[in-house]
Amino acid sequence: MTSMAEPKEKAIQEKKAVLPGKSNFSEWYNELLLMAEIMDVRYPVKGLYVWFPFGFDVRKRTYAIIRELLDKDHKEALFPLLIPENEFMKEAEHIKGFENEVYWVTHGGKNELDVKLALRPTSETAIYPMYKVWVRSHADLPIKIYQIVNTFRYETKHTRPLIRLREITSFKEAHTVHATWDEAAKQVEEATRIYQEFYRRLAIPTIVSKRPEWDKFPGADYTMAVDTLMPDNKTLQIGTAHHLGSNFAKTFDIKYEDINGEQVLAHQTCYGISERSIAALISIHGDDKGLVFPPEVAPTQVVVIPIIFGKSDDVVTACRDVARRLKESGIRVELDESDERPGAKYYKWEMKGVPLRVEIGPRDLKNNVATIVRRDTGSKDTAPLNDIEIEIKKRFEMVHDSLYEKAVKSLEGRLIDCSTLDEVKEKIPTGIAKIPWCGERDCGLSMEEAVGAGILGIPEGKLGTGNGTCPVCGKVTSNIAIMAKTY
RNA sequence: GGGGUCGUAGGGUAGCCUGGUCCAUCCUUCAUGCUUGGGGUGCAUGAGACCUGAGUUCAAAUCUCAGCGACCCCA
């Protein structure tokens, strides 16, 4: 079996394919996180991971977009990590939803605490006792506050970096208070609009749908969710917005005095996004060569690579000049003057997802141009050195748009019309199944049971409307539900 | 919730079944020097590992148990 040639051939193969192919998504994902230095998955506690400086840079830039969008009419604040047991246990539904996942602090040093402290799995019960104090008059409303914090959930299922964590390190949660139910409902709409804009900036296509009754946030009137579709055809919930009605207001006694001097229960919403957004960013755009970033969030937007033959002082000078000019025009640029061969440099920066690569060699210099290579398509062209800044910025937009277009197509190509549950079951490994659903709880639960996958909900807009009959009760309906395997 | 596979340098692996030949294989990585430079340059020298704990044994990477951790499948 073993020939002399075999080890050598194998070695060559391994060298070419440092990263497992993306078709093997799970392996690709884990390896990429480590190789591209997003997260170190080797921290010795289950479900906890380390952000590398490079990954953290991506996180910072991604979260800068959320902040920018929210800061228009929200205020950022910070509430404590520890929640006393008595506050945490106030809302019955809420407890049911989270109590099996809560970490408890029971001791201070060697002394047992009189009141146990929960590590927040989410912050409603940390924030709302304060809202009770803050909300006095209708003039105090609306309140729109968000915070970006870590939260803890004792996950018993399979944990996965950025996707299912025991410490969510980047939980952006907004909590608003309104006078009326309708006003709160409008805020939920606004939240999903903001989230869609956020994901548009990341070139990630999304589907917004109302979660079925049995899958809503514990303690909410209803839940709107933002989902995207991952390369392995499972959906990832990457944002939620909950209408809390006055459920929590009742529990936490959040009331305001209206114009007529009456004490009225407030209405609330909360909505959140986590580092799952970054999981989606990496997974949707990445390829067999590594990361692919939209320019806006790429830690390095352009890498300049000198093509040197012997002593090419003029090439080096030209590269330094280009790098300096790009930097001066606000572009995040790296000049790779290291002692490696150009090919090795290409692979290295491709792994890191740098959107554009600028090569300058003697040939380019003679023509007074630079060669520009796009990370997303691999396409190569040249641009005059004189206008390099403009040419680069032009391409940034092109890269973003074509990333988004490609992602949209990929998602749309995996939306599958179905009319029977057998069909759903058969097609679901290949994407998201669309199926008529009357909207009744019993029918929905039987559908999930029969298919072995979840109902995400009835999507907003035309995706969620059509004609058909509910596969369980046979009632005619214009509701189209989407079903998928979920993370 | 149920079932399965696995844990060897920074990463990927061989060795484990049948204990001793292992101060542990190969690739990659890293360090130094020369060489090379439009898609992973070549050579030389060097660095780096048996998950943790207990047990069986004259002897454990190898067998047993427990813990921790990773992955896969089903519900």
Side-chain angles (χ1 to χ4, degrees), chain A residues 18 26 42 158 308 340-341 347 350 357 359 363-364:
Chain A
V18 255
S26 215
R42 295 169 297 183
H158 194 182
I308 299 164
E340 284 166 302
R341 298 278 290 254
Y347 282 107
E350 277 164 356
R357 177 172 85 229
E359 303 170 18
R363 201 165 65 206
D364 301 299

mmCIF file of all heavy atoms in Angstrom, chain A residues 18 26 42 158 308 340-341 347 350 357 359 363-364, chain B residues 10-11 36-41 69-72:
data_model
loop_
_atom_site.group_PDB
_atom_site.id
_atom_site.type_symbol
_atom_site.label_atom_id
_atom_site.label_comp_id
_atom_site.label_asym_id
_atom_site.label_seq_id
_atom_site.Cartn_x
_atom_site.Cartn_y
_atom_site.Cartn_z
ATOM 1 N N VAL A 18 -4.549 24.348 3.588
ATOM 2 C CA VAL A 18 -4.333 24.551 5.018
ATOM 3 C C VAL A 18 -5.640 24.571 5.782
ATOM 4 O O VAL A 18 -5.715 24.185 6.930
ATOM 5 C CB VAL A 18 -3.588 25.869 5.297
ATOM 6 C CG1 VAL A 18 -2.164 25.585 5.651
ATOM 7 C CG2 VAL A 18 -3.671 26.812 4.116
ATOM 8 N N SER A 26 -18.619 22.815 9.413
ATOM 9 C CA SER A 26 -18.305 22.808 10.829
ATOM 10 C C SER A 26 -16.793 22.859 11.062
ATOM 11 O O SER A 26 -16.295 23.638 11.871
ATOM 12 C CB SER A 26 -18.887 21.551 11.455
ATOM 13 O OG SER A 26 -19.314 21.814 12.749
ATOM 14 N N ARG A 42 -9.253 27.481 22.403
ATOM 15 C CA ARG A 42 -8.573 26.535 23.290
ATOM 16 C C ARG A 42 -8.668 26.881 24.757
ATOM 17 O O ARG A 42 -8.032 26.248 25.585
ATOM 18 C CB ARG A 42 -7.104 26.415 22.860
ATOM 19 C CG ARG A 42 -6.958 25.804 21.481
ATOM 20 C CD ARG A 42 -5.552 25.930 20.958
ATOM 21 N NE ARG A 42 -5.181 27.335 20.799
ATOM 22 C CZ ARG A 42 -4.008 27.734 20.303
ATOM 23 N NH1 ARG A 42 -3.115 26.863 19.944
ATOM 24 N NH2 ARG A 42 -3.748 29.021 20.177
ATOM 25 N N HIS A 158 -24.683 21.552 22.744
ATOM 26 C CA HIS A 158 -23.408 21.718 22.086
ATOM 27 C C HIS A 158 -23.042 23.202 21.966
ATOM 28 O O HIS A 158 -23.709 23.950 21.271
ATOM 29 C CB HIS A 158 -23.527 21.102 20.700
ATOM 30 C CG HIS A 158 -22.217 20.919 20.050
ATOM 31 N ND1 HIS A 158 -22.070 20.433 18.794
ATOM 32 C CD2 HIS A 158 -20.978 21.174 20.503
ATOM 33 C CE1 HIS A 158 -20.790 20.392 18.501
ATOM 34 N NE2 HIS A 158 -20.113 20.830 19.516
ATOM 35 N N ILE A 308 9.483 42.420 -5.765
ATOM 36 C CA ILE A 308 10.884 42.821 -5.815
ATOM 37 C C ILE A 308 11.728 41.843 -6.626
ATOM 38 O O ILE A 308 11.581 40.636 -6.485
ATOM 39 C CB ILE A 308 11.445 42.896 -4.372
ATOM 40 C CG1 ILE A 308 10.669 43.931 -3.561
ATOM 41 C CG2 ILE A 308 12.926 43.220 -4.387
ATOM 42 C CD1 ILE A 308 10.866 43.822 -2.078
ATOM 43 N N GLU A 340 9.078 37.415 2.752
ATOM 44 C CA GLU A 340 8.474 36.248 2.115
ATOM 45 C C GLU A 340 8.297 36.461 0.619
ATOM 46 O O GLU A 340 8.350 37.593 0.123
ATOM 47 C CB GLU A 340 7.115 35.969 2.756
ATOM 48 C CG GLU A 340 7.210 35.325 4.108
ATOM 49 C CD GLU A 340 5.882 35.369 4.849
ATOM 50 O OE1 GLU A 340 5.350 36.478 5.060
ATOM 51 O OE2 GLU A 340 5.380 34.299 5.186
ATOM 52 N N ARG A 341 8.029 35.361 -0.062
ATOM 53 C CA ARG A 341 7.713 35.452 -1.490
ATOM 54 C C ARG A 341 6.327 36.057 -1.644
ATOM 55 O O ARG A 341 5.475 35.901 -0.774
ATOM 56 C CB ARG A 341 7.721 34.047 -2.104
ATOM 57 C CG ARG A 341 9.063 33.363 -2.008
ATOM 58 C CD ARG A 341 9.962 33.834 -3.110
ATOM 59 N NE ARG A 341 9.494 33.318 -4.381
ATOM 60 C CZ ARG A 341 10.081 32.324 -5.053
ATOM 61 N NH1 ARG A 341 11.144 31.732 -4.536
ATOM 62 N NH2 ARG A 341 9.613 31.924 -6.207
ATOM 63 N N TYR A 347 -1.463 34.469 0.166
ATOM 64 C CA TYR A 347 -2.236 33.512 0.955
ATOM 65 C C TYR A 347 -2.489 34.036 2.362
ATOM 66 O O TYR A 347 -3.583 33.913 2.901
ATOM 67 C CB TYR A 347 -1.512 32.165 1.023
ATOM 68 C CG TYR A 347 -1.663 31.358 -0.239
ATOM 69 C CD1 TYR A 347 -0.606 31.197 -1.124
ATOM 70 C CD2 TYR A 347 -2.884 30.769 -0.557
ATOM 71 C CE1 TYR A 347 -0.744 30.472 -2.292
ATOM 72 C CE2 TYR A 347 -3.039 30.043 -1.723
ATOM 73 C CZ TYR A 347 -1.970 29.888 -2.589
ATOM 74 O OH TYR A 347 -2.130 29.177 -3.738
ATOM 75 N N GLU A 350 -5.050 36.876 2.300
ATOM 76 C CA GLU A 350 -6.355 36.342 1.904
ATOM 77 C C GLU A 350 -7.036 35.683 3.087
ATOM 78 O O GLU A 350 -8.239 35.836 3.297
ATOM 79 C CB GLU A 350 -6.185 35.354 0.738
ATOM 80 C CG GLU A 350 -6.098 36.076 -0.592
ATOM 81 C CD GLU A 350 -5.559 35.233 -1.734
ATOM 82 O OE1 GLU A 350 -5.173 34.082 -1.503
ATOM 83 O OE2 GLU A 350 -5.521 35.745 -2.863
ATOM 84 N N ARG A 357 -6.008 43.933 -2.618
ATOM 85 C CA ARG A 357 -4.556 43.797 -2.574
ATOM 86 C C ARG A 357 -3.966 44.632 -3.699
ATOM 87 O O ARG A 357 -4.434 44.568 -4.840
ATOM 88 C CB ARG A 357 -4.188 42.332 -2.781
ATOM 89 C CG ARG A 357 -2.707 42.074 -2.825
ATOM 90 C CD ARG A 357 -2.422 40.605 -2.835
ATOM 91 N NE ARG A 357 -2.459 40.028 -4.165
ATOM 92 C CZ ARG A 357 -3.122 38.939 -4.491
ATOM 93 N NH1 ARG A 357 -3.854 38.298 -3.597
ATOM 94 N NH2 ARG A 357 -3.084 38.473 -5.724
ATOM 95 N N GLU A 359 -0.640 45.322 -5.804
ATOM 96 C CA GLU A 359 0.702 44.833 -6.113
ATOM 97 C C GLU A 359 1.401 45.868 -6.985
ATOM 98 O O GLU A 359 0.808 46.387 -7.929
ATOM 99 C CB GLU A 359 0.636 43.522 -6.903
ATOM 100 C CG GLU A 359 -0.134 42.417 -6.215
ATOM 101 C CD GLU A 359 -0.373 41.233 -7.157
ATOM 102 O OE1 GLU A 359 0.326 41.131 -8.189
ATOM 103 O OE2 GLU A 359 -1.275 40.429 -6.859
ATOM 104 N N ARG A 363 7.068 45.945 -13.684
ATOM 105 C CA ARG A 363 6.190 46.036 -14.844
ATOM 106 C C ARG A 363 5.148 47.136 -14.659
ATOM 107 O O ARG A 363 4.842 47.897 -15.567
ATOM 108 C CB ARG A 363 5.501 44.676 -15.019
ATOM 109 C CG ARG A 363 4.957 44.389 -16.381
ATOM 110 C CD ARG A 363 4.645 42.904 -16.488
ATOM 111 N NE ARG A 363 3.565 42.520 -15.567
ATOM 112 C CZ ARG A 363 3.404 41.282 -15.060
ATOM 113 N NH1 ARG A 363 4.253 40.322 -15.365
ATOM 114 N NH2 ARG A 363 2.408 41.011 -14.261
ATOM 115 N N ASP A 364 4.572 47.171 -13.443
ATOM 116 C CA ASP A 364 3.567 48.199 -13.140
ATOM 117 C C ASP A 364 4.193 49.583 -13.165
ATOM 118 O O ASP A 364 3.639 50.526 -13.715
ATOM 119 C CB ASP A 364 2.963 47.961 -11.755
ATOM 120 C CG ASP A 364 2.321 46.606 -11.650
ATOM 121 O OD1 ASP A 364 1.375 46.345 -12.410
ATOM 122 O OD2 ASP A 364 2.785 45.796 -10.829
ATOM 123 P P G B 10 2.560 23.257 22.177
ATOM 124 O OP1 G B 10 3.415 23.980 23.127
ATOM 125 O OP2 G B 10 1.413 22.461 22.662
ATOM 126 O "O5'" G B 10 2.020 24.286 21.084
ATOM 127 C "C5'" G B 10 1.111 25.294 21.479
ATOM 128 C "C4'" G B 10 0.559 25.957 20.254
ATOM 129 O "O4'" G B 10 1.649 26.519 19.472
ATOM 130 C "C3'" G B 10 -0.144 25.024 19.276
ATOM 131 O "O3'" G B 10 -1.466 24.738 19.671
ATOM 132 C "C2'" G B 10 -0.057 25.811 17.989
ATOM 133 O "O2'" G B 10 -0.973 26.867 17.985
ATOM 134 C "C1'" G B 10 1.364 26.376 18.090
ATOM 135 N N9 G B 10 2.340 25.455 17.487
ATOM 136 C C8 G B 10 3.377 24.806 18.110
ATOM 137 N N7 G B 10 4.068 24.044 17.310
ATOM 138 C C5 G B 10 3.450 24.196 16.072
ATOM 139 C C6 G B 10 3.750 23.624 14.816
ATOM 140 O O6 G B 10 4.654 22.821 14.534
ATOM 141 N N1 G B 10 2.876 24.047 13.829
ATOM 142 C C2 G B 10 1.837 24.918 14.027
ATOM 143 N N2 G B 10 1.105 25.199 12.964
ATOM 144 N N3 G B 10 1.538 25.461 15.201
ATOM 145 C C4 G B 10 2.377 25.070 16.170
ATOM 146 P P G B 11 -2.159 23.352 19.278
ATOM 147 O OP1 G B 11 -3.501 23.331 19.892
ATOM 148 O OP2 G B 11 -1.214 22.245 19.517
ATOM 149 O "O5'" G B 11 -2.313 23.527 17.703
ATOM 150 C "C5'" G B 11 -3.336 24.348 17.164
ATOM 151 C "C4'" G B 11 -3.430 24.133 15.674
ATOM 152 O "O4'" G B 11 -2.163 24.484 15.068
ATOM 153 C "C3'" G B 11 -3.653 22.682 15.247
ATOM 154 O "O3'" G B 11 -5.010 22.313 15.301
ATOM 155 C "C2'" G B 11 -3.107 22.690 13.825
ATOM 156 O "O2'" G B 11 -4.004 23.311 12.939
ATOM 157 C "C1'" G B 11 -1.877 23.588 14.001
ATOM 158 N N9 G B 11 -0.695 22.791 14.368
ATOM 159 C C8 G B 11 -0.066 22.722 15.574
ATOM 160 N N7 G B 11 0.965 21.917 15.575
ATOM 161 C C5 G B 11 1.024 21.436 14.283
ATOM 162 C C6 G B 11 1.926 20.526 13.679
ATOM 163 O O6 G B 11 2.892 19.950 14.182
ATOM 164 N N1 G B 11 1.609 20.294 12.339
ATOM 165 C C2 G B 11 0.563 20.881 11.680
ATOM 166 N N2 G B 11 0.418 20.538 10.394
ATOM 167 N N3 G B 11 -0.286 21.733 12.219
ATOM 168 C C4 G B 11 0.003 21.964 13.512
ATOM 169 P P U B 36 19.997 34.343 -5.115
ATOM 170 O OP1 U B 36 20.426 34.215 -6.513
ATOM 171 O OP2 U B 36 20.243 35.603 -4.375
ATOM 172 O "O5'" U B 36 18.433 34.021 -5.028
ATOM 173 C "C5'" U B 36 17.860 33.002 -5.839
ATOM 174 C "C4'" U B 36 16.422 32.806 -5.471
ATOM 175 O "O4'" U B 36 16.309 32.695 -4.027
ATOM 176 C "C3'" U B 36 15.498 33.965 -5.813
ATOM 177 O "O3'" U B 36 15.058 33.889 -7.152
ATOM 178 C "C2'" U B 36 14.344 33.757 -4.833
ATOM 179 O "O2'" U B 36 13.466 32.746 -5.268
ATOM 180 C "C1'" U B 36 15.082 33.252 -3.597
ATOM 181 N N1 U B 36 15.355 34.321 -2.613
ATOM 182 C C2 U B 36 14.347 34.646 -1.718
ATOM 183 O O2 U B 36 13.261 34.097 -1.742
ATOM 184 N N3 U B 36 14.656 35.636 -0.826
ATOM 185 C C4 U B 36 15.846 36.313 -0.718
ATOM 186 O O4 U B 36 15.972 37.181 0.149
ATOM 187 C C5 U B 36 16.846 35.927 -1.681
ATOM 188 C C6 U B 36 16.570 34.966 -2.572
ATOM 189 P P G B 37 14.661 35.208 -7.928
ATOM 190 O OP1 G B 37 14.443 34.844 -9.338
ATOM 191 O OP2 G B 37 15.639 36.249 -7.579
ATOM 192 O "O5'" G B 37 13.258 35.603 -7.294
ATOM 193 C "C5'" G B 37 12.145 34.700 -7.401
ATOM 194 C "C4'" G B 37 11.008 35.251 -6.577
ATOM 195 O "O4'" G B 37 11.491 35.586 -5.256
ATOM 196 C "C3'" G B 37 10.408 36.536 -7.147
ATOM 197 O "O3'" G B 37 8.995 36.579 -6.933
ATOM 198 C "C2'" G B 37 11.075 37.632 -6.332
ATOM 199 O "O2'" G B 37 10.278 38.771 -6.170
ATOM 200 C "C1'" G B 37 11.265 36.947 -4.990
ATOM 201 N N9 G B 37 12.423 37.476 -4.274
ATOM 202 C C8 G B 37 13.728 37.471 -4.682
ATOM 203 N N7 G B 37 14.526 38.038 -3.834
ATOM 204 C C5 G B 37 13.695 38.449 -2.795
ATOM 205 C C6 G B 37 13.988 39.131 -1.605
ATOM 206 O O6 G B 37 15.093 39.526 -1.201
ATOM 207 N N1 G B 37 12.865 39.337 -0.838
ATOM 208 C C2 G B 37 11.595 38.943 -1.175
ATOM 209 N N2 G B 37 10.641 39.220 -0.311
ATOM 210 N N3 G B 37 11.297 38.302 -2.287
ATOM 211 C C4 G B 37 12.386 38.099 -3.048
ATOM 212 P P G B 38 7.959 35.522 -7.661
ATOM 213 O OP1 G B 38 7.914 34.234 -6.991
ATOM 214 O OP2 G B 38 8.257 35.576 -9.132
ATOM 215 O "O5'" G B 38 6.586 36.258 -7.342
ATOM 216 C "C5'" G B 38 6.319 37.491 -7.988
ATOM 217 C "C4'" G B 38 4.958 37.419 -8.598
ATOM 218 O "O4'" G B 38 4.655 38.698 -9.137
ATOM 219 C "C3'" G B 38 4.828 36.434 -9.755
ATOM 220 O "O3'" G B 38 3.489 35.955 -9.746
ATOM 221 C "C2'" G B 38 5.084 37.299 -10.970
ATOM 222 O "O2'" G B 38 4.411 36.833 -12.125
ATOM 223 C "C1'" G B 38 4.459 38.614 -10.538
ATOM 224 N N9 G B 38 5.038 39.816 -11.071
ATOM 225 C C8 G B 38 6.247 40.034 -11.685
ATOM 226 N N7 G B 38 6.417 41.289 -12.042
ATOM 227 C C5 G B 38 5.243 41.910 -11.621
ATOM 228 C C6 G B 38 4.835 43.255 -11.732
ATOM 229 O O6 G B 38 5.454 44.201 -12.213
ATOM 230 N N1 G B 38 3.590 43.463 -11.186
ATOM 231 C C2 G B 38 2.814 42.487 -10.610
ATOM 232 N N2 G B 38 1.635 42.853 -10.143
ATOM 233 N N3 G B 38 3.167 41.216 -10.502
ATOM 234 C C4 G B 38 4.390 41.017 -11.032
ATOM 235 P P G B 39 3.198 34.381 -9.578
ATOM 236 O OP1 G B 39 4.404 33.523 -9.816
ATOM 237 O OP2 G B 39 1.938 34.077 -10.261
ATOM 238 O "O5'" G B 39 2.925 34.442 -7.996
ATOM 239 C "C5'" G B 39 3.767 33.713 -7.099
ATOM 240 C "C4'" G B 39 2.935 32.662 -6.373
ATOM 241 O "O4'" G B 39 1.709 33.279 -5.901
ATOM 242 C "C3'" G B 39 2.509 31.478 -7.228
ATOM 243 O "O3'" G B 39 2.446 30.318 -6.406
ATOM 244 C "C2'" G B 39 1.085 31.820 -7.637
ATOM 245 O "O2'" G B 39 0.284 30.689 -7.864
ATOM 246 C "C1'" G B 39 0.606 32.556 -6.399
ATOM 247 N N9 G B 39 -0.471 33.505 -6.613
ATOM 248 C C8 G B 39 -0.599 34.427 -7.616
ATOM 249 N N7 G B 39 -1.693 35.140 -7.498
ATOM 250 C C5 G B 39 -2.313 34.644 -6.356
ATOM 251 C C6 G B 39 -3.525 35.025 -5.727
ATOM 252 O O6 G B 39 -4.310 35.903 -6.062
ATOM 253 N N1 G B 39 -3.781 34.274 -4.589
ATOM 254 C C2 G B 39 -2.966 33.277 -4.123
ATOM 255 N N2 G B 39 -3.362 32.670 -3.017
ATOM 256 N N3 G B 39 -1.828 32.914 -4.693
ATOM 257 C C4 G B 39 -1.571 33.639 -5.797
ATOM 258 P P G B 40 3.913 29.619 -5.918
ATOM 259 O OP1 G B 40 5.061 29.982 -6.764
ATOM 260 O OP2 G B 40 3.522 28.215 -5.734
ATOM 261 O "O5'" G B 40 4.160 30.332 -4.538
ATOM 262 C "C5'" G B 40 3.183 30.207 -3.534
ATOM 263 C "C4'" G B 40 3.867 30.212 -2.185
ATOM 264 O "O4'" G B 40 2.877 30.021 -1.174
ATOM 265 C "C3'" G B 40 4.908 29.097 -1.995
ATOM 266 O "O3'" G B 40 5.788 29.548 -0.983
ATOM 267 C "C2'" G B 40 4.030 27.978 -1.409
ATOM 268 O "O2'" G B 40 4.791 27.121 -0.555
ATOM 269 C "C1'" G B 40 3.085 28.759 -0.529
ATOM 270 N N9 G B 40 1.748 28.221 -0.255
ATOM 271 C C8 G B 40 0.964 27.287 -0.882
ATOM 272 N N7 G B 40 -0.214 27.120 -0.312
ATOM 273 C C5 G B 40 -0.178 28.013 0.755
ATOM 274 C C6 G B 40 -1.141 28.304 1.750
ATOM 275 O O6 G B 40 -2.277 27.841 1.889
ATOM 276 N N1 G B 40 -0.684 29.256 2.638
ATOM 277 C C2 G B 40 0.546 29.861 2.579
ATOM 278 N N2 G B 40 0.823 30.749 3.512
ATOM 279 N N3 G B 40 1.463 29.616 1.662
ATOM 280 C C4 G B 40 1.022 28.684 0.794
ATOM 281 P P U B 41 7.162 30.304 -1.231
ATOM 282 O OP1 U B 41 7.560 30.809 0.068
ATOM 283 O OP2 U B 41 6.904 31.255 -2.339
ATOM 284 O "O5'" U B 41 8.279 29.240 -1.680
ATOM 285 C "C5'" U B 41 8.217 28.656 -2.964
ATOM 286 C "C4'" U B 41 9.615 28.368 -3.454
ATOM 287 O "O4'" U B 41 10.396 29.579 -3.413
ATOM 288 C "C3'" U B 41 10.408 27.404 -2.590
ATOM 289 O "O3'" U B 41 10.080 26.048 -2.876
ATOM 290 C "C2'" U B 41 11.831 27.739 -3.033
ATOM 291 O "O2'" U B 41 12.117 27.166 -4.286
ATOM 292 C "C1'" U B 41 11.755 29.249 -3.197
ATOM 293 N N1 U B 41 12.258 29.987 -2.022
ATOM 294 C C2 U B 41 13.632 30.051 -1.898
ATOM 295 O O2 U B 41 14.384 29.526 -2.687
ATOM 296 N N3 U B 41 14.066 30.749 -0.797
ATOM 297 C C4 U B 41 13.302 31.370 0.155
ATOM 298 O O4 U B 41 13.839 31.970 1.083
ATOM 299 C C5 U B 41 11.886 31.240 -0.049
ATOM 300 C C6 U B 41 11.423 30.572 -1.110
ATOM 301 P P G B 69 -15.722 20.846 30.890
ATOM 302 O OP1 G B 69 -16.119 22.261 30.992
ATOM 303 O OP2 G B 69 -16.744 19.781 30.959
ATOM 304 O "O5'" G B 69 -14.899 20.637 29.554
ATOM 305 C "C5'" G B 69 -13.906 21.576 29.174
ATOM 306 C "C4'" G B 69 -13.121 21.061 28.001
ATOM 307 O "O4'" G B 69 -12.556 19.760 28.312
ATOM 308 C "C3'" G B 69 -13.915 20.797 26.731
ATOM 309 O "O3'" G B 69 -14.244 21.978 26.031
ATOM 310 C "C2'" G B 69 -12.932 19.912 25.975
ATOM 311 O "O2'" G B 69 -11.842 20.659 25.480
ATOM 312 C "C1'" G B 69 -12.429 19.016 27.104
ATOM 313 N N9 G B 69 -13.226 17.788 27.197
ATOM 314 C C8 G B 69 -14.163 17.448 28.127
ATOM 315 N N7 G B 69 -14.693 16.264 27.914
ATOM 316 C C5 G B 69 -14.065 15.814 26.762
ATOM 317 C C6 G B 69 -14.213 14.599 26.032
ATOM 318 O O6 G B 69 -14.960 13.651 26.277
ATOM 319 N N1 G B 69 -13.385 14.556 24.918
ATOM 320 C C2 G B 69 -12.520 15.550 24.548
ATOM 321 N N2 G B 69 -11.807 15.333 23.432
ATOM 322 N N3 G B 69 -12.363 16.681 25.218
ATOM 323 C C4 G B 69 -13.159 16.748 26.302
ATOM 324 P P A B 70 -15.535 21.997 25.096
ATOM 325 O OP1 A B 70 -15.754 23.391 24.713
ATOM 326 O OP2 A B 70 -16.624 21.206 25.706
ATOM 327 O "O5'" A B 70 -15.017 21.177 23.832
ATOM 328 C "C5'" A B 70 -13.970 21.711 23.017
ATOM 329 C "C4'" A B 70 -13.614 20.725 21.951
ATOM 330 O "O4'" A B 70 -13.202 19.483 22.565
ATOM 331 C "C3'" A B 70 -14.760 20.317 21.042
ATOM 332 O "O3'" A B 70 -15.016 21.283 20.039
ATOM 333 C "C2'" A B 70 -14.223 19.010 20.477
ATOM 334 O "O2'" A B 70 -13.228 19.224 19.499
ATOM 335 C "C1'" A B 70 -13.565 18.405 21.715
ATOM 336 N N9 A B 70 -14.490 17.513 22.444
ATOM 337 C C8 A B 70 -15.160 17.748 23.616
ATOM 338 N N7 A B 70 -15.904 16.734 24.015
ATOM 339 C C5 A B 70 -15.708 15.777 23.030
ATOM 340 C C6 A B 70 -16.215 14.480 22.858
ATOM 341 N N6 A B 70 -17.055 13.896 23.712
ATOM 342 N N1 A B 70 -15.824 13.798 21.769
ATOM 343 C C2 A B 70 -14.976 14.382 20.901
ATOM 344 N N3 A B 70 -14.425 15.597 20.953
ATOM 345 C C4 A B 70 -14.835 16.246 22.055
ATOM 346 P P C B 71 -16.510 21.502 19.535
ATOM 347 O OP1 C B 71 -16.488 22.734 18.703
ATOM 348 O OP2 C B 71 -17.442 21.408 20.677
ATOM 349 O "O5'" C B 71 -16.754 20.243 18.589
ATOM 350 C "C5'" C B 71 -16.048 20.136 17.361
ATOM 351 C "C4'" C B 71 -16.144 18.730 16.839
ATOM 352 O "O4'" C B 71 -15.763 17.789 17.878
ATOM 353 C "C3'" C B 71 -17.542 18.257 16.445
ATOM 354 O "O3'" C B 71 -17.931 18.742 15.170
ATOM 355 C "C2'" C B 71 -17.349 16.753 16.456
ATOM 356 O "O2'" C B 71 -16.642 16.299 15.327
ATOM 357 C "C1'" C B 71 -16.467 16.566 17.703
ATOM 358 N N1 C B 71 -17.260 16.276 18.912
ATOM 359 C C2 C B 71 -17.761 14.975 19.079
ATOM 360 O O2 C B 71 -17.523 14.132 18.202
ATOM 361 N N3 C B 71 -18.489 14.679 20.180
ATOM 362 C C4 C B 71 -18.713 15.617 21.100
ATOM 363 N N4 C B 71 -19.433 15.267 22.163
ATOM 364 C C5 C B 71 -18.227 16.952 20.961
ATOM 365 C C6 C B 71 -17.505 17.235 19.858
ATOM 366 P P C B 72 -19.494 18.959 14.871
ATOM 367 O OP1 C B 72 -19.577 19.736 13.630
ATOM 368 O OP2 C B 72 -20.196 19.428 16.089
ATOM 369 O "O5'" C B 72 -19.987 17.474 14.588
ATOM 370 C "C5'" C B 72 -19.509 16.746 13.460
ATOM 371 C "C4'" C B 72 -20.013 15.327 13.520
ATOM 372 O "O4'" C B 72 -19.569 14.710 14.758
ATOM 373 C "C3'" C B 72 -21.523 15.164 13.574
ATOM 374 O "O3'" C B 72 -22.122 15.281 12.297
ATOM 375 C "C2'" C B 72 -21.652 13.765 14.159
ATOM 376 O "O2'" C B 72 -21.405 12.769 13.194
ATOM 377 C "C1'" C B 72 -20.534 13.756 15.198
ATOM 378 N N1 C B 72 -21.000 14.135 16.545
ATOM 379 C C2 C B 72 -21.644 13.155 17.323
ATOM 380 O O2 C B 72 -21.802 12.022 16.843
ATOM 381 N N3 C B 72 -22.072 13.463 18.573
ATOM 382 C C4 C B 72 -21.891 14.694 19.054
ATOM 383 N N4 C B 72 -22.328 14.947 20.286
ATOM 384 C C5 C B 72 -21.251 15.708 18.286
ATOM 385 C C6 C B 72 -20.820 15.401 17.056
#
